[in-house]
Amino acid sequence: RNLIDGYITMNGAYCFVGEQVIYKSAIPQEEVKAMAAFCEKKGVPCIFVEEHHISVCQPDDMVKKIFYDFLHVDVIPTISFEEATSKEIIQMTPFITEEEEKEIRPSIPTCEIGRWYPAFADITAKGDTKQKGMDEIIRYFDIKLEETMSFGDGGNDISMLRHAAIGVAMGQAKEDVKAAADYVTAPIDEDGISKAMKHFGII
């Protein structure tokens, strides 16, 4: 129905409208290398996201459990840390604990760290959040913040839900996400987006 004009991906670090990329922000190479070395030393997986490719280093059962079994992501190609750090990386997802996150923090000073699942963190360049992505979409279409609506179901969506004129939490979201929203709709698998749009008279 042409209801979606643009996409905010990689936690706001990569935004596009149709075939046109309107915002892209890569992580500094030295910080990619620092995270890779840390994960390799700790023996934990790390997912590296490029503009058009995604890969994983030293995957384990947790990657299978969360990304394949729970999120139903297609099997991610496995590469070496050496190969991963030779690419332009926009997002990293290391399977590190909150304590390990504190340990690596000084080595990635210009990165943004978000955590919507206890087993891993999402890392982008500093300032790249879904709220920032919303602002890029707004700027591109020359619309007002008062004309926006956002949908989310994870902790990394909270800033975006609060930023939009109307923030809609999906029914499967946790309580902290629902608390940040203006409206809670049905779960995604029960046509929650469509139901919310009907509720607000958009369709």
Side-chain angles (χ1 to χ4, degrees):
R1 296 194 198 181
N2 295 319
L3 287 169
I4 299 174
D5 297 312
Y7 292 85
I8 299 167
T9 68
M10 302 186 211
N11 286 324
Y14 191 80
C15 306
F16 60 93
V17 173
E19 297 295 317
Q20 184 178 357
V21 178
I22 64 169
Y23 181 76
K24 180 176 81 165
S25 175
I27 299 168
Q29 204 69 14
E30 285 307 308
E31 298 189 28
V32 172
K33 289 178 179 177
M35 178 55 73
F38 184 79
C39 290
E40 188 169 22
K41 179 184 174 184
K42 295 284 185 180
V44 297
C46 188
I47 294 171
F48 294 90
V49 187
E50 304 165 56
E51 184 169 8
H52 298 296
H53 300 284
I54 181 170
S55 52
V56 61
C57 297
Q58 57 190 26
D60 63 6
D61 286 344
M62 192 62 76
V63 173
K64 179 183 181 299
K65 178 183 173 186
I66 298 170
F67 280 79
Y68 305 155
D69 299 343
F70 177 58
L71 296 175
H72 307 295
V73 172
D74 290 338
V75 175
I76 303 168
T78 300
I79 63 172
S80 67
F81 281 107
E82 184 179 9
E83 187 178 351
T85 55
S86 70
K87 317 281 189 181
E88 181 185 62
I89 302 299
I90 299 173
Q91 180 177 307
M92 301 182 288
T93 301
F95 282 67
I96 55 175
T97 64
E98 290 186 29
E99 283 305 310
E100 288 169 331
E101 181 185 316
K102 291 174 186 173
E103 194 179 335
I104 187 63
R105 194 75 186 89
S107 300
I108 51 170
T110 68
C111 282
E112 196 82 42
I113 303 177
R115 189 179 287 269
W116 56 272
Y117 196 90
F120 59 81
D122 281 338
I123 297 173
T124 53
K126 196 73 174 176
D128 291 330
T129 63
K130 290 189 178 181
Q131 177 179 332
K132 164 73 173 169
M134 263 193 70
D135 288 336
E136 293 297 331
I137 294 283
I138 288 169
R139 182 186 57 77
Y140 179 84
F141 286 107
D142 193 26
I143 59 177
K144 297 175 182 176
L145 185 62
E146 294 76 33
E147 299 173 298
T148 62
M149 176 183 288
S150 66
F151 296 82
D153 63 359
N156 59 342
D157 295 321
I158 288 175
S159 67
M160 180 178 67
L161 291 173
R162 288 177 174 157
H163 192 50
I166 300 172
V168 180
M170 305 308 295
Q172 74 274 10
K174 291 185 178 179
E175 290 307 311
D176 59 337
V177 179
K178 291 178 179 177
D182 301 295
Y183 180 75
V184 178
T185 187
I188 190 76
D189 293 336
E190 296 173 23
D191 297 324
I193 292 176
S194 174
K195 287 175 180 173
M197 286 185 165
K198 287 174 182 174
H199 172 83
F200 286 101
I202 296 169
I203 57 175

